[in-house]
Amino acid sequence: MTADWAKAAVADNFVIQTPRLLIRPFMPQDQQLYLDLYTSAEVMAFIGPPLDTEKAKNSFQIALRLNTKMPFKRLFLAICRDGHPIGLCAVNQWQSETATAEVGLMLLPDWQGLGYGTEAKLAFSQRVLQVFTGVKVWTQTNPDNKAAVRSNIAAGYSADPAQYGRYWYTPD
């Protein structure tokens, strides 16, 4: 890990305002959002099996602790609309050795299909590029999740023909 990346890998560097959204580090009051996302069969359909409530609560506590590490190893952010959390985005993996960062995003079902995912992913990806100089940003998406694939493309991602489900952020 380079010293610059270690200094930049701080949750407070990832407070992002868009025209409709505020993206900010997780806080304890975001537990219900986390539970609603990770225990939902609908939200988890293309990700993995939903967690039971106890596992989701434990996972949320781990996420809060991970956000306080400096440098962080994983970063969890709440996506908020009019002060209400509607989803999360995360840096799932970042490696200064390879200058890559994997990002992910989940939205509550009522907020899907309204452009919020694309708006959040674009703003978040741009911030990752600003904070981590020279990074290549990618996301892993199940190609059967057509809505997520469309959102990736709209946010400036391109499919990697050599790696199933991998999309690289390719800003203009």
Side-chain angles (χ1 to χ4, degrees):
M1 168 182 1
T2 68
D4 289 343
W5 275 42
K7 289 180 196 168
V10 178
D12 288 344
N13 284 338
F14 290 88
V15 176
I16 306 161
Q17 184 77 50
T18 74
R20 302 184 299 167
L21 303 171
L22 171 65
I23 302 170
R24 56 154 176 80
F26 264 5
M27 296 187 280
Q29 60 264 35
D30 294 320
Q31 180 172 320
Q32 190 59 53
L33 166 69
Y34 196 89
L35 297 178
D36 291 345
L37 290 167
Y38 280 95
T39 62
S40 166
E42 183 179 355
V43 172
M44 298 296 290
F46 295 102
I47 300 169
L51 300 178
D52 66 47
T53 301
E54 280 309 306
K55 282 185 182 176
K57 284 180 181 178
N58 290 335
S59 180
F60 177 73
Q61 292 306 314
I62 291 168
L64 283 178
R65 284 194 301 274
L66 287 171
N67 272 14
T68 64
K69 300 235 183 250
M70 294 194 299
F72 60 73
K73 300 226 181 279
R74 293 184 72 188
L75 176 66
F76 296 87
L77 305 169
I79 302 167
C80 301
R81 171 78 174 142
D82 296 328
H84 301 288
I86 64 169
L88 71 80
C89 53
V91 175
N92 297 316
Q93 300 179 47
W94 70 279
Q95 299 176 355
S96 60
E97 300 82 18
T98 58
T100 60
E102 178 195 7
V103 300
L105 184 138
M106 301 166 74
L107 289 177
L108 294 169
D110 288 349
W111 298 93
Q112 295 174 5
L114 302 171
Y116 295 114
T118 301
E119 184 176 333
K121 186 172 274 186
L122 177 60
F124 184 45
S125 300
Q126 289 171 341
R127 178 59 56 90
V128 171
L129 286 180
Q130 289 171 348
V131 172
F132 298 123
T133 305
V135 70
K136 295 178 210 128
V137 180
W138 62 280
T139 190
Q140 191 71 29
T141 302
N142 183 326
D144 293 335
N145 187 345
K146 302 300 182 198
V149 169
R150 284 191 304 273
S151 179
N152 286 342
I153 293 166
Y157 283 75
S158 299
D160 183 334
Q163 295 184 349
Y164 182 80
R166 183 163 293 189
Y167 294 79
W168 291 94
Y169 182 53
T170 53
D172 297 333

